[in-house]
Amino acid sequence: MSDDLVFVLPLAVLRMLNYQLPSTEAATSYADHIVYSRENALKLSRLLLSKWQLPQSEVDAFFKEPGPSNEVLGHLLATKLLLRPLVGLEQCGEYFNAPHKQFDGRSLWQQMQMGTEASTQVKEYLMECIG
């Protein structure tokens, strides 16, 4: 496995959520997962956080060198895909920024910033919500 690959979600989960599989230019299938290069995952993550109108200072700190791990990037991109069917496209940013009792009042964003283990908890929680 390359250090340049960011694993997001199994393709089966995308199918279950009725997502159209990404084009081969955007992502590749690797061991039945949607996978992005680290460079593309960083770009997509920055766009996502900008769209969700997070404070720029927090975003800058999140991407400060060496930046988030590939696992955290994968969990962030998975979160986007998992939130859409749960709360709707327009509510994703609000939900991502809202306090959640399962994370001791921290938002999903605050949880993600805590590293790999904490971001894994976000992904697992959302996967459980989907069923």
Side-chain angles (χ1 to χ4, degrees):
M1 181 166 46
S2 170
D3 290 340
D4 191 41
L5 297 179
V6 175
F7 289 76
V8 179
L9 281 173
L11 295 174
V13 172
L14 291 178
R15 287 186 194 100
M16 179 187 79
L17 297 172
N18 292 319
Y19 279 106
Q20 184 176 9
L21 297 180
S23 68
T24 54
E25 298 91 46
T28 45
S29 170
Y30 185 88
D32 287 334
H33 277 72
I34 183 171
V35 180
Y36 290 98
S37 70
R38 180 167 175 81
E39 180 182 342
N40 284 342
L42 285 166
K43 287 178 189 176
L44 289 169
S45 296
R46 280 189 178 275
L47 287 171
L48 174 64
L49 296 177
S50 174
K51 181 178 180 178
W52 285 351
Q53 299 178 340
L54 293 160
Q56 190 60 47
S57 60
E58 291 180 22
V59 173
D60 290 343
F62 184 70
F63 289 104
K64 185 178 177 182
E65 288 297 325
S69 70
N70 287 0
E71 291 84 4
V72 172
L73 286 173
H75 296 155
L76 178 60
L77 294 172
T79 297
K80 173 197 175 246
L81 296 170
L82 295 167
L83 281 177
R84 286 178 69 185
L86 285 174
V87 299
L89 182 60
E90 298 301 319
Q91 302 302 315
C92 288
E94 286 178 37
Y95 191 84
F96 190 68
N97 288 298
H100 294 273
K101 64 181 176 184
Q102 58 276 21
F103 300 119
D104 297 324
R106 290 184 299 277
S107 69
L108 301 181
W109 169 234
Q110 291 168 326
Q111 189 76 5
M112 286 274 176
Q113 293 176 79
M114 294 172 61
T116 302
E117 185 177 327
S119 67
T120 299
Q121 292 170 348
V122 170
K123 182 178 171 181
E124 289 173 354
Y125 166 72
L126 294 174
M127 292 285 288
E128 287 176 18
C129 291
I130 297 273

